[in-house]
Amino acid sequence: MNTLLNERHLDRLESEAIHIMREVAAESANPALLFSGGKDSVVLLRLAEKAFRPGKFPFPLVHIDTGHNFAEVITFRDRRVAELGERLIVGSVEDSIERGTVRLRNRATDSRNAAQAVTLLETIAQYKFDACIGGARRDEEKARAKERIFSFRDEFGQWDPKAQRPELWDLYNTRVHPGENMRVFPISNWTELDVWQYIAREKLELPPIYFAHQRQVIERNGLLVPLTHLTPVLSGETVETQTVRFRTVGDISCTCPVASDAATVDAIIAETAVTQITERGATRMDDQTSEASMEKRKKAGYF
């Protein structure tokens, strides 16, 4: 019975997400789907397949590349796009740095996570996208929980949580003026556990860093920081080799793994079912700088 109820639950979430994607395709003039190679965007791809195959997707795939991504994720991204035969547009933070629209104190080592907002807005403006479909979920973080499914952004790409539109009875107001756009989140109502159960049901492939593996890490401020050229060991710290996995993937400079021996999807589901810390709370250094870190970035144009 529990299995049957869970299947019905996933069916309802899937149906809602497919409806939202089709609504974007029908109501938007020039939409795009944000695809990073991470687990949530992998789920979005499967939902897009169910919504639009056997035809081509009615939008290109877009990735805002910080240039500081885990190599395994970029390799997976490119292979998955090639398998689907879809168009991938890559907005490069490195190009924004060259143009001078992004400025960092230390170009080689500073986190580029927040800088993605600038490159995303430049990519939206360049291609005149009026809607960008993303994989954000409300259970990820406090600011995410304030989001509507159709998240209105003004002509400057900014998000004002007090200026969002009501979404009663699954009715969505998708109208935007020139220069304005929407960020659309079809899996807003999903949880991390829902995502992993859907991955299991659909037998979706993921980058290998989502599964337990050995990696050199440094314990820092309650997090396991991966040892890389962007995150070197500091004076007084000790490098250890631990069995870890990533719950979320992003810019190397701010994304941490968690200690885990979960090497299969079923093991990750069992582990996720009992965890009491959100994935961003457990793995993102930039979300721990203040209670309002994510909200400030979102108001500036972040995902």
Side-chain angles (χ1 to χ4, degrees), residues 11-288:
D11 285 342
R12 285 193 294 269
L13 290 174
E14 179 188 74
S15 178
E16 177 189 54
I18 289 172
H19 166 69
I20 292 164
M21 281 199 172
R22 288 173 174 166
E23 191 79 359
V24 175
E27 298 294 333
S28 301
N30 189 27
L33 188 152
L34 301 175
F35 177 64
S36 65
K39 69 181 187 307
D40 298 309
S41 57
V42 167
V43 167
L44 286 182
L45 284 192
R46 173 50 56 91
L47 293 167
E49 287 185 275
K50 291 195 174 188
F52 303 113
R53 288 300 196 225
K56 299 281 286 185
F57 292 170
F59 36 65
L61 308 180
V62 173
H63 182 213
I64 305 303
D65 187 353
T66 66
H68 288 171
N69 295 290
F70 291 95
E72 304 98 312
V73 180
I74 296 300
T75 298
F76 174 83
R77 178 202 71 182
D78 292 342
R79 179 166 57 80
R80 190 73 189 99
V81 171
E83 289 170 352
L84 288 169
E86 296 291 343
R87 178 189 178 199
L88 175 67
I89 295 170
V90 178
S92 169
V93 173
E94 189 70 33
D95 289 346
S96 297
I97 294 172
E98 292 290 344
R99 286 191 293 269
T101 52
V102 167
R103 296 185 181 183
L104 303 173
R105 286 177 297 177
N106 188 321
R107 179 171 175 173
T109 60
D110 279 2
S111 175
R112 298 182 177 186
N113 195 46
Q116 291 180 83
V118 174
T119 307
L120 174 60
L121 294 178
E122 290 175 341
T123 305
I124 289 172
Q126 178 182 354
Y127 292 94
K128 296 181 173 57
F129 295 130
D130 59 350
C132 289
I133 303 168
R137 307 186 321 271
R138 292 192 179 114
D139 77 323
E140 288 182 82
E141 198 272 341
K142 294 176 182 178
R144 298 284 199 207
K146 297 180 182 180
E147 283 278 21
R148 299 287 197 269
I149 291 174
F150 281 76
S151 179
F152 173 75
R153 307 300 173 101
D154 65 20
E155 65 271 27
F156 302 105
Q158 297 178 332
W159 173 71
D160 181 355
K162 296 180 180 179
Q164 298 303 305
R165 299 162 177 180
E167 295 182 339
L168 305 175
W169 307 291
D170 296 332
L171 298 175
Y172 307 111
N173 183 348
T174 63
R175 294 180 182 178
V176 293
H177 293 107
E180 298 172 343
N181 65 87
M182 289 282 184
R183 310 289 169 79
V184 185
F185 305 116
I187 61 172
S188 283
N189 293 326
W190 298 43
T191 65
E192 183 183 8
L193 183 60
D194 292 330
V195 167
W196 279 107
Q197 290 176 330
Y198 191 76
I199 288 168
R201 187 177 87 169
E202 299 296 313
K203 298 180 175 57
L204 302 181
E205 186 181 356
L206 295 173
I209 64 174
Y210 276 109
F211 302 95
H213 59 282
Q214 289 201 322
R215 187 178 289 262
Q216 288 186 305
V217 296
I218 308 145
E219 289 196 30
R220 183 182 299 165
N221 299 325
L223 298 174
L224 297 179
V225 178
L227 178 64
T228 71
H229 68 288
L230 297 172
T231 51
V233 62
L234 303 178
S235 176
E237 293 182 329
T238 302
V239 178
E240 302 178 25
T241 299
Q242 293 195 29
T243 302
V244 300
R245 69 178 180 88
F246 286 82
R247 289 175 67 184
T248 180
V249 297
D251 191 271
I252 290 173
S253 63
C254 64
T255 305
C256 299
V258 295
S260 172
D261 59 2
T264 66
V265 172
D266 286 343
I268 291 174
I269 289 172
E271 194 172 87
T272 303
V274 298
T275 188
Q276 296 181 343
I277 304 175
T278 65
E279 59 198 272
R280 295 191 73 95
T283 65
R284 290 297 182 99
M285 287 182 274
D286 55 335
D287 285 344
Q288 298 196 350

